[in-house]
Amino acid sequence: MRGDLVRKLAARCLTTGLAVLAFVVLALTGASGWGLALAVAALAAAAAEQRIRPGADLVAETTLIAAAVLVGYARRLDDGLDPALVATGVVVVGLVLLVGPLRTAGNLEIRAANLPVRAWTPLLADRLGTAVLGLLAVLALAAAFTVPAVVALATSLLVGAVAGAVALDLARRRFRPTGGGSPVARALRRHQPEFLLHFSAPPGSEYQVTMWLPYLRRIGRPFLVMVREPEFLAPIAAATDAPVVYCPTLRSMDEALVPSLRVAFYVNHGAKNSHCIRFTQLTHVQLHHGDSDKAPSANPVSGIFDRIFVAGPAAIDRYARAGVQIPADKFVVVGRPQVEAIEVRSEPARGLAHPTVLYTPTWTGHHADADYCSLPVAEGLLRRLLERGATVILRAHPYTTQNPASARQLARLTELLVADRARTGRPHVVGTAARELSLTECVNASDALVSDVSGVISDYLYSGKPYAVTDMGDGGDRFVERFPLAGSGYVLRRDLSNLDGVLTALLDTDPLADARWATRRRYLGDFPAESYAEGFLTAARRELAPASDLAAPAPA
């Protein structure tokens, strides 16, 4: 998250600095050519800032750039007071002032993908800021080539007409809504979804949804995905053919939650979940987006849900161990369906000469008590693996690059493995190649795992292969008490003082092979491998069944 703050601050400073510099050069000097070039650079910086800071308020900077471009235009024409240029200035300033309110109004409108509806107005309102930046760039080029001001006026009026149409339609939607609800609401009523997946999270978190989409589809009932932030609409819609609906307000949620819905699923403990839980006619089911011994996996907020689907009995014990009291009948053991495609190695493979090791460092977390990241000490680990002839798959957490220090550490590890690959020919997998592989593919391609405390270990456990867990808190004997899954793995101390012993156990002797199978049942449930995902699918269908169809209450 600190990396995000640095990028946002840098983008802010660059846009503001270039805008001020462009205005000063054009207003106070005769260097109109250089000034217009600086104005174009400021527009490019503003466009980049819009991508880094979606919804950023750039009114002051855009106004300053517009003034600079118009001053430069007037200097280049050198025709005295040009009425067309004055009119262009009025239109441009009006557009700059309208961008923010129209974008805000558009973002309050329900939007959808994978439904037979087209709502162009909110989309145009959201992109009007980019259109204004483009218009200013066109005006700067027109000024550079001394194009008559009437051409600039015509171009500005065209963009102004689009903005006016957007404003009128948004006002109509707000003050004179059509009968029967919005087109999205009508399309959802025709779709007749029986359940929804509600999702709200920070940017870059769509993986929490996409891991569940194949299994939600296999339930065999129509459903929808409701997202609460606009940046998730496109990527999630691209991953499913189910309707994806963006609901920014409680009013839009009222439209989207059609009478056919019976169950709402959730994949995290986002604050906006409470907006959906208020609909008491629904059964609310927490799925989580991974199973691990991390502190957030025993979040007391889980108690607000009607059902908590967990991978195995260990998850229930985790809540009790954390002092979180939740009625037993809320828990349903369903396994972890995402592991069904993982290949199981029933017999330990000891003494491998050239093993493939999957290394999955986690991120630094939102808070210090959730920082399990081993990247600060990882270089020593990887160098020792290379000395043992190992091939390494380096697959970092998606949030890793949000921390500048972690990003630098990851870059050093990548350089180390790329250099070794060039020297030895060992097919290390790093960077984009690693990100393009699914976790299942990484697990199947590896012989052993080195991981921080994370949900990756639970998934890897299904394979039966050995794993090592990094203790980044110097927990010593208490580490396994806090993170019981480490009891069936080989614990690597923060100072790497036991590195050779851990690697020998991990890659050669594997004394904990038998213990892992008992841990596997406790963490991932005892479901037949050939129908492992049926545990989840059966439980989900049971929640969707009308109460009159149930012969017995849902099992705990």
Side-chain angles (χ1 to χ4, degrees):
M1 298 305 170
R2 285 169 287 183
D4 272 350
L5 292 175
V6 171
R7 282 192 292 273
K8 290 175 181 178
L9 181 60
R12 175 94 295 223
C13 292
L14 185 62
T15 302
T16 303
L18 287 172
V20 171
L21 187 59
F23 180 78
V24 168
V25 170
L26 284 165
L28 302 181
T29 74
S32 59
W34 283 105
L36 289 170
L38 285 170
V40 172
L43 291 169
E49 184 175 359
Q50 282 186 334
R51 289 193 298 272
I52 296 171
R53 300 175 60 230
D57 183 2
L58 300 177
V59 172
E61 290 78 5
T62 310
T63 302
L64 203 57
I65 296 170
V69 170
L70 292 169
V71 169
Y73 210 150
R75 287 183 182 276
R76 301 283 286 192
L77 291 177
D78 198 23
D79 287 338
L81 184 65
D82 189 324
L85 190 59
V86 173
T88 300
V90 172
V91 174
V92 168
V93 171
L95 284 170
V96 169
L97 297 178
L98 271 176
V99 164
L102 289 182
R103 183 178 60 234
T104 300
N107 282 339
L108 295 177
E109 294 292 323
I110 189 170
R111 278 187 265 165
N114 301 339
L115 275 178
V117 294
R118 291 291 180 268
W120 296 109
T121 301
L123 186 62
L124 288 173
D126 187 55
R127 297 182 180 177
L128 188 58
T130 303
V132 170
L133 295 180
L135 171 63
L136 291 175
V138 169
L139 295 183
L141 291 174
F145 291 100
T146 60
V147 175
V150 67
V151 176
L153 176 59
T155 306
S156 302
L157 287 173
L158 180 62
V159 178
V162 173
V166 169
L168 289 173
D169 191 53
L170 287 173
R172 179 193 62 77
R173 289 165 177 259
R174 182 54 53 98
F175 300 112
R176 297 184 63 185
T178 57
S182 68
V184 172
R186 293 195 295 271
L188 286 174
R189 283 197 292 271
R190 290 191 297 269
H191 180 63
Q192 290 286 294
E194 296 186 29
F195 67 91
L196 68 97
L197 176 65
H198 179 275
F199 182 62
S200 173
S205 304
E206 55 268 20
Y207 71 94
Q208 298 178 6
V209 171
T210 55
M211 70 169 61
W212 281 106
L213 289 174
Y215 303 97
L216 297 180
R217 178 169 183 160
R218 282 167 60 180
I219 293 172
R221 311 287 181 83
F223 72 98
L224 69 93
V225 179
M226 178 184 291
V227 299
R228 306 302 308 283
E229 288 80 27
E231 60 266 26
F232 294 122
L233 183 60
I236 293 178
T240 181
D241 56 4
V244 182
V245 182
Y246 164 56
C247 292
T249 64
L250 297 182
R251 182 176 67 85
S252 61
M253 289 183 68
D254 291 340
E255 290 189 59
L257 292 175
V258 294
S260 58
L261 289 165
R262 293 201 289 273
V263 176
F265 292 107
Y266 306 80
V267 296
N268 59 28
H269 291 98
K272 291 182 182 178
N273 287 348
S274 61
H275 297 174
C276 193
I277 287 176
R278 69 193 177 94
F279 292 89
T280 56
Q281 73 271 26
L282 302 176
T283 299
H284 302 278
V285 181
Q286 176 60 255
L287 300 177
H288 298 104
H289 57 273
D291 183 89
S292 76
D293 287 327
K294 285 185 176 182
S297 295
N299 194 322
V301 175
S302 297
I304 67 176
F305 299 98
D306 300 307
R307 292 282 187 273
I308 306 167
F309 281 12
V310 294
I316 303 174
D317 298 339
R318 188 181 301 128
Y319 282 96
R321 193 169 60 249
V324 179
Q325 301 300 317
I326 295 177
D329 60 357
K330 287 195 173 190
F331 291 104
V332 184
V333 174
V334 300
R336 170 88 172 137
Q338 288 81 3
V339 305
E340 67 171 348
I342 290 178
E343 298 168 1
V344 178
R345 181 182 291 172
S346 56
E347 295 295 330
R350 297 185 170 102
L352 295 174
H354 300 288
T356 297
V357 177
L358 172 60
Y359 174 48
T360 58
T362 191
W363 67 305
T364 52
H366 288 292
H367 308 287
D369 66 349
D371 183 359
Y372 308 106
C373 180
S374 64
L375 283 172
V377 302
E379 187 170 346
L381 164 65
L382 292 196
R383 289 188 182 278
R384 195 70 187 93
L385 284 171
L386 296 179
E387 290 171 8
R388 282 177 167 258
T391 296
V392 177
I393 302 172
L394 173 56
R395 190 177 193 271
H397 191 283
Y399 288 176
T400 298
T401 55
Q402 294 183 359
N403 182 316
S406 295
R408 290 192 296 270
Q409 292 155 0
L410 180 60
R412 282 199 298 271
L413 300 182
T414 300
E415 291 170 3
L416 173 66
L417 293 176
V418 169
D420 186 80
R421 183 172 61 193
R423 185 174 61 254
T424 66
R426 283 184 296 222
H428 304 300
V429 183
V430 297
T432 303
R435 289 192 296 271
E436 289 176 348
L437 294 176
S438 68
L439 178 59
T440 295
E441 291 171 323
C442 291
V443 173
N444 290 342
S446 66
D447 298 302
L449 168 74
V450 179
S451 178
D452 305 334
V453 175
S454 77
V456 172
I457 301 175
S458 298
D459 288 1
Y460 203 87
L461 181 64
Y462 187 79
S463 72
K465 301 173 188 176
Y467 58 86
V469 187
T470 61
D471 174 8
M472 294 306 294
D474 294 322
D477 295 337
R478 293 187 60 251
F479 183 74
V480 174
E481 294 177 14
R482 292 179 59 204
F483 308 107
L485 191 53
S488 297
Y490 307 103
V491 178
L492 180 61
R493 300 189 192 109
R494 180 187 180 92
D495 61 5
L496 304 186
S497 59
N498 66 335
L499 177 57
D500 286 332
V502 165
L503 293 183
T504 297
L506 181 71
L507 303 176
D508 295 331
T509 60
D510 194 14
L512 295 175
D514 293 336
R516 280 197 302 277
W517 291 104
T519 303
R520 181 180 184 266
R521 288 190 294 273
R522 204 160 62 83
Y523 272 80
L524 296 172
D526 193 10
F527 299 96
E530 62 274 11
S531 58
Y532 185 81
E534 286 300 319
F536 166 73
L537 299 175
T538 300
R541 290 170 186 141
R542 183 182 295 114
E543 298 300 334
L544 286 164
S548 59
D549 293 349
L550 295 177

